[in-house]
Amino acid sequence: MALARLSTFAFAGIEALPVEVQVQIAPGLPAFLVVGLADKAVAESRERVRAALTGLGLALPAKRILVNLAPADLAKEGSHYDLPIALALLAAMEVIPREVLAEYAALGELSLDGALLPVAGVLPAALGASARGLGLICPAAQGGEAAWAGRGEVLAPPDLPALLNHFRGSQVLRPPEPPPLLAEPWRGPCLSEVKGQESAKRALEIAAAGGHNLLMLGPPGAGKSMLAARLPGLLPDLTPAEALELSLIHSVAGLLREGRLLTRPPFREPHHSASQAALIGGGPRGRPGEISLAHHGVLFLDEWPEFPRPALEALRQPMESGRAVIARANAHVTYPARFQCVAAMNPCRCGFLGDPARECSRAPRCGEEYLDRLSGPLLDRMDLTIEVQPVPPAELSRAPAGESTAAVAARVRAARERQRARYGPEGPRCNAAAEGAVLEATLALEPAARALLEQAAERLGLSARGHTRTLRVARSIADLAGSETVARAHVAEALAYRGRRGLRRAA
Ligand SMILES: Nc1ncnc2c1ncn2[C@@H]1O[C@H](COP(=O)(O)OP(=O)(O)OP(=O)(O)O)[C@@H](O)[C@H]1O
Ligand SMILES: [Mg+2]
């Protein structure tokens, strides 16, 4: 009786949980069984492994082959078990020495000709392997990703024969190069292409400076989507730790390409037909949703009220906590989701409410009905609300080119540096993430500013959340101005963006 084992991983959120693949070849009726809470993709891996071995010129022994994925009570999902099953089987068949496999963890999907196909989760697996003092065997296309994260040896063969040749010593695999973590310059659209709209651009700059949520209301064609698409260009590069965290999420979602890590804040714009699972995460595999893919970046919800109501309401909790918790059949999975929400909407269904020449006969009731699709708590989470009015065509051609993305991004970077200096490396990463106690301790609110806020809170009926969010925005405005303290003028500007008051702002 022959028994061989090899480490691999199952994924819970961005965490890699160790799984041991055990293969036993025992006398008995010929059979090939996989046990250990395997889903359909894992069960089907038998056929791919069998075909890949045939491609190597090896037949399965005519004995009872039992594959156990331990621990047996942890659900195993996905196609990445192909490679560890094939390798443990080859060790049990004594094609490769068993002791070699003790030094590695492996993951990868096999195609019928023995080629290794990319799988989700190589980045967390590489971290998990190095934490356990193991090397990692993964598909060639993902070697860079693994080399970047792992401290151990990485083998990234294009196919099974190349790996066997490496173990035999007849053809040594070159270690993959980690991709350079160089931030690329912004190549997206430039802010200078937006003519006029000075106050909307100001709001965009404040939102970028502190990572605040922004709601833009305006008629069709006013430039809301255009402005939103220029926000990621204003945001500073990710730090290495942020880049790793974001890349882990994208790796688990199977979205990292060519072993490259993400170094720029993401910009995700799910369509309004997106389901709750697509937005928040979940589905059969418990995959991360758009809010997690937008971690450390921007989630743009265009035509906001058109999103399904349950999906919108499900945003509320992650918008406060910065985490997406997904309930699964047997466990909860948590993904980081510290995103900046930018929403755009028309003021009503036809879009022309407030334009006497074009508004429909149902105005102003239609506007109220349209806004009513969004719950109060959701609107309360939007730090800055602005109205974007179209720039008249005559002015479009006459308006001088405004500031470039690079110029505004430099001010945003300076404001972020002030925040980093204030909060320290362990603290919140921007004003929007500063919680009550930290915010209070570091705010430096001038007495006149405090008096104004207290007055306004009463007059506007600000919620406790509205109060805190206004303070955060005021702090960002002060940071942009290079001011140590938050002055009355900073609070006044922040208040002007608050809730429905903001709806007259950019007009
Ligand atoms: N201020 C502006 N400067 C330059 N071009 C503009 C401006 N405003 C609008 N445009 C032009 O109008 C087009 C439509 O703008 P955009 O798609 O951003 O509108 P929108 O407010 O998102 O409309 P909708 O509500 O229909 O989605 C832009 O692609 C751009 O060509
Ligand atoms: Mg639009």
Side-chain angles (χ1 to χ4, degrees):
M1 202 168 63
L3 179 68
R5 39 184 107 228
L6 175 59
S7 296
T8 185
F9 297 96
F11 301 102
I14 53 173
E15 213 187 323
L17 306 175
V19 167
E20 189 177 76
V21 177
Q22 306 165 345
V23 176
Q24 184 196 57
I25 301 180
L29 284 177
F32 187 6
L33 305 168
V34 178
V35 298
L37 222 57
D39 80 346
K40 193 150 176 17
V42 183
E44 285 176 349
S45 104
R46 279 183 316 182
E47 301 308 323
R48 291 189 292 271
V49 168
R50 193 197 300 268
L53 260 55
T54 310
L56 288 176
L58 294 168
L60 287 184
K63 292 186 177 171
R64 188 181 152 83
I65 303 172
L66 180 62
V67 178
N68 180 34
L69 306 173
D73 60 350
L74 178 71
K76 321 294 183 314
E77 299 166 322
S79 56
H80 67 270
Y81 296 98
D82 290 5
L83 178 63
I85 291 176
L87 291 176
L89 180 58
L90 287 168
M93 289 162 65
E94 290 171 4
V95 177
I96 45 184
R98 275 177 227 178
E99 1 14 294
V100 176
L101 292 190
E103 290 160 29
Y104 296 97
L107 78 172
E109 179 181 321
L110 282 171
S111 80
L112 298 187
D113 60 1
L116 278 175
L117 305 178
V119 288
V122 168
L123 197 52
L127 289 179
S130 51
R132 288 166 185 81
L134 297 173
L136 188 75
I137 309 174
C138 69
Q142 296 175 300
E145 191 180 330
W148 192 85
R151 285 187 301 272
E153 187 192 359
V154 174
L155 296 178
D159 49 33
L160 206 47
L163 183 62
L164 295 190
N165 288 339
H166 176 82
F167 284 145
R168 287 197 201 105
S170 58
Q171 179 199 351
V172 176
L173 284 170
R174 263 197 303 136
E177 286 286 320
L181 198 59
L182 286 179
E184 292 164 22
W186 171 250
R187 292 212 192 83
C190 182
L191 200 60
S192 62
E193 290 156 11
V194 184
K195 302 281 169 58
Q197 300 291 16
E198 293 310 324
S199 41
K201 286 185 196 166
R202 167 73 178 162
L204 204 64
E205 180 174 338
I206 297 170
H212 305 293
N213 300 330
L214 172 69
L215 169 60
M216 291 184 277
L217 257 108
K224 302 180 297 296
S225 306
M226 198 181 179
L227 284 160
R230 283 152 182 82
L231 175 57
L234 303 182
L235 299 174
D237 295 331
L238 299 178
T239 63
E242 290 164 355
L244 176 62
E245 203 178 12
L246 176 69
S247 301
L248 279 171
I249 300 170
H250 282 248
S251 174
V252 169
L255 294 176
L256 276 193
R257 290 283 161 264
E258 294 151 30
R260 273 210 302 267
L261 298 194
L262 302 166
T263 53
R264 289 285 310 162
F267 182 74
R268 305 289 305 185
E269 40 180 344
H271 189 253
H272 57 70
S273 62
S275 67
Q276 182 174 341
L279 213 53
I280 310 297
R285 295 261 173 90
R287 286 283 158 89
E290 290 292 335
I291 62 169
S292 295
L293 298 173
H295 186 52
H296 293 322
V298 179
L299 179 74
F300 179 41
L301 303 174
D302 209 353
E303 320 298 348
W304 203 28
E306 305 289 347
F307 279 79
R309 180 95 194 227
L312 286 182
E313 293 304 309
L315 280 175
R316 281 164 54 179
Q317 217 250 330
M319 276 173 93
E320 293 284 292
S321 65
R323 284 181 305 131
V325 182
I326 305 163
R328 304 209 58 199
N330 41 13
H332 282 84
V333 181
T334 306
Y335 288 104
R338 176 73 62 196
F339 61 96
Q340 177 175 4
C341 180
V342 176
M345 62 184 282
N346 297 135
C348 64
R349 186 86 211 201
C350 71
F352 293 108
L353 182 72
D355 180 343
R358 288 197 280 185
E359 70 183 9
C360 69
S361 58
R362 295 182 56 242
R365 200 157 39 90
C366 63
E368 280 158 25
E369 279 171 21
Y370 201 55
L371 206 56
D372 274 349
R373 294 193 190 186
L374 303 166
S375 69
L378 205 53
L379 286 170
D380 206 26
R381 283 163 170 75
M382 301 316 279
D383 302 295
L384 303 138
T385 303
I386 57 164
E387 193 165 314
V388 182
Q389 286 300 341
V391 177
E395 273 178 45
L396 271 187
S397 48
R398 259 187 287 130
E403 276 185 300
S404 67
T405 288
V408 181
R411 289 201 295 270
V412 169
R413 206 176 319 122
R416 287 279 179 124
E417 268 156 27
R418 288 183 153 269
Q419 295 167 50
R420 196 159 320 130
R422 189 164 61 239
Y423 299 132
E426 301 299 316
R429 88 183 256 279
C430 58
N431 289 331
E435 296 296 339
V438 178
L439 189 67
E440 272 298 318
T442 53
L443 193 59
L445 190 62
E446 290 178 9
R450 188 177 294 278
L452 175 65
L453 185 62
E454 278 164 13
Q455 267 171 24
E458 209 164 303
R459 202 155 31 83
L460 301 177
L462 278 192
S463 65
R465 177 192 299 120
H467 184 266
T468 310
R469 286 188 177 261
T470 306
L471 281 177
R472 289 179 185 145
V473 174
R475 187 59 260 181
S476 295
I477 294 171
D479 285 331
L480 274 174
S483 165
E484 284 301 322
T485 58
V486 178
R488 190 180 159 91
H490 304 144
V491 170
E493 188 177 359
L495 280 168
Y497 292 114
R498 189 74 214 160
R500 295 187 186 220
R501 273 167 62 94
L503 299 188
R504 295 254 70 90
R505 176 78 198 178

